[in-house]
Amino acid sequence: MVTISCSCGSVCDSRRNPLRGLDVAERLRLVEAAFSAHDGFLTLELDAAWHPGSDEPGPACVVLVDLDELDACAGLDEDEARRLRAALRGTRVAGRALPSPVLVDGTWFRVAPAQGYVPHVTYVVHDEAGTVLEVDEPLVERDLLAELVDEFGRQGRDGLVRLDAVAARRSLAGALDALRARPEVAVA
């Protein structure tokens, strides 16, 4: 069984697996276009016929199913399951592949799907002393992870801590843009 939920708050965890009966090619296409995929977990948007509970779906309802690797591979032979598990290793949001984690001088830079029903991502920078930056951001075309790594090279840990404070008020992209517009001024 899989968890099916809706943005309106309806949750149901006793429904059949919507991937059962699909061949591996169809499942791979779904992974490519997934609402999100991360660490072997997959979230797919379903049509309104899957709306959980007894209420009729409203026009703003977004119906999602959360599956783990085992549910996603149910009913496939071993070779097909291996192909699907390989596709689930990547991180995707709204059908877009996200960059892999980056390690620079003991500092990790990561991007992962954010919680919620919108295509947002969470950027996290951490080192042995703790979290340096953590920002939820709408999915944008820019490679903000690479920009964070570059900024770390210019301003170090303290610069990213200041950037985190500005990003909380503006957005990460906005904070990086402001910094680029006035590089002579430290992020404040």
Side-chain angles (χ1 to χ4, degrees):
M1 294 297 167
V2 296
T3 300
I4 298 174
S5 58
C6 183
S7 58
C8 69
S10 295
V11 177
C12 178
D13 61 2
S14 60
R15 299 283 290 273
R16 65 184 176 87
N17 184 339
L19 297 187
R20 200 170 267 299
L22 298 180
D23 66 24
V24 70
E26 290 170 302
R27 293 179 196 206
L28 288 169
R29 278 192 296 279
L30 287 172
V31 170
E32 284 288 316
F35 185 82
S36 69
H38 182 63
D39 287 340
F41 288 91
L42 180 64
T43 301
L44 300 172
E45 187 171 350
L46 301 175
D47 65 48
W50 287 89
H51 192 267
S54 58
D55 296 337
E56 289 294 316
C61 284
V62 178
V63 181
L64 301 174
V65 61
D66 291 314
L67 304 113
D68 63 16
E69 189 176 285
L70 293 174
D71 291 325
C73 294
L76 298 177
D77 68 32
E78 191 54 41
D79 277 348
E80 293 170 334
R82 191 175 307 116
R83 287 177 54 204
L84 190 58
R85 281 193 298 273
L88 287 171
R89 284 191 197 107
T91 302
R92 309 183 72 72
V93 170
R96 285 195 26 214
L98 299 180
S100 298
V102 176
L103 176 63
V104 178
D105 297 331
T107 300
W108 280 100
F109 297 78
R110 301 174 192 274
V111 61
Q115 299 296 317
Y117 293 102
V118 292
H120 282 206
V121 293
T122 301
Y123 293 89
V124 178
V125 179
H126 63 90
D127 58 20
E128 64 183 26
T131 301
V132 178
L133 176 142
E134 184 170 348
V135 179
D136 281 357
E137 186 84 359
L139 189 60
V140 296
E141 294 297 320
R142 293 165 54 178
D143 187 353
L144 295 178
L145 192 70
E147 291 182 40
L148 284 172
V149 171
D150 290 344
E151 201 54 45
F152 178 71
R154 282 191 281 282
Q155 294 196 39
R157 186 183 204 281
D158 290 341
L160 291 185
V161 169
R162 290 189 301 272
L163 186 66
D164 183 52
V166 174
R169 294 189 311 267
R170 271 190 187 169
S171 77
L172 182 56
L176 287 164
D177 289 343
L179 185 62
R180 299 269 179 333
R182 300 201 54 204
E184 71 281 358
V185 179
V187 175

